[in-house]
Amino acid sequence: MSTELRINELEKKVKELTTQIEQLKNNTLADQIKADKEVEAYSHNYSTWLNTTIERDKSLLTLSVAGLGLLLTLSQTSGPKSLIFIVCILLSAIGFLISTFCLIDIFKKNKLIIEAILNNEPEWEKEYISLMLSRIDKLAFCSFLFSIVMSFLIMIFQLLSGYLNASS
């Protein structure tokens, strides 16, 4: 074989290899773009979930504190009408207090679990914090609902009391 023929064959091989390298680069770039999109979508979904969860807890905290203020105002303005009225106000206030303290603890534990994830803490530690968060969240929500029901009963007692006083 002549040198020219070898050079032509080598040039063809170089072109083929260059083409293959370019295709690999394009495939790698496309794969990287796809992976980046998946990470971005996951990040967005996680962020949305976290913000929604925190907003729910903040709303419950605000409503619990407002409920305590309403009960305090109601008890001061109307005075004790009956033993049932006093018991309902106390039970409702206790429920709102439990909810408030649980929600404050939830904010603290949310911080702990985020730190555990960022610091690559052992899986058992994250699971323990998550379990505690779940239990405290249920307690906060149930005590909040209980207080709402008790507040509704207080409202009914107030309406009946006002109606009976107006009738007499």
Side-chain angles (χ1 to χ4, degrees), residues 28-167:
T28 304
L29 183 60
D31 291 343
Q32 184 63 39
I33 290 171
K34 183 180 177 184
D36 289 347
K37 284 182 179 179
E38 289 174 2
V39 167
E40 186 64 31
Y42 176 80
S43 174
H44 176 72
N45 289 339
Y46 182 77
S47 176
T48 302
W49 173 82
L50 184 64
N51 288 336
T52 302
T53 303
I54 290 174
E55 283 300 317
R56 175 187 172 268
D57 292 341
K58 288 183 347 188
S59 296
L60 280 177
L61 180 63
T62 300
L63 291 171
S64 292
V65 172
L68 282 169
L70 177 68
L71 289 173
L72 181 64
T73 302
L74 185 62
S75 67
Q76 294 295 318
T77 57
S78 65
K81 299 200 182 276
S82 67
L83 183 60
I84 294 174
F85 181 77
I86 293 170
V87 169
C88 285
I89 283 187
L90 286 175
L91 289 175
S92 185
I94 289 169
F96 281 134
L97 278 172
I98 290 171
S99 182
T100 299
F101 288 127
C102 285
L103 289 163
I104 290 170
D105 195 37
I106 285 172
F107 289 127
K108 184 175 85 175
K109 288 197 179 356
N110 279 340
K111 177 185 171 223
L112 290 176
I113 200 162
I114 290 170
E115 287 174 350
I117 291 168
L118 292 176
N119 294 331
N120 290 325
E121 298 292 336
E123 200 61 36
W124 65 266
E125 187 173 340
K126 292 181 254 184
E127 288 175 8
Y128 176 75
I129 297 170
S130 182
L131 177 66
M132 294 304 296
L133 270 170
S134 175
R135 289 180 179 171
I136 294 169
D137 187 56
K138 286 177 187 171
L139 177 61
F141 190 69
C142 288
S143 63
F144 177 78
L145 287 180
F146 173 78
S147 293
I148 293 294
V149 169
M150 296 307 294
S151 297
F152 183 73
L153 289 175
I154 292 167
M155 180 192 71
I156 290 173
F157 288 136
Q158 283 290 94
L159 290 173
L160 288 175
S161 175
Y163 177 75
L164 292 175
N165 287 340
S167 300

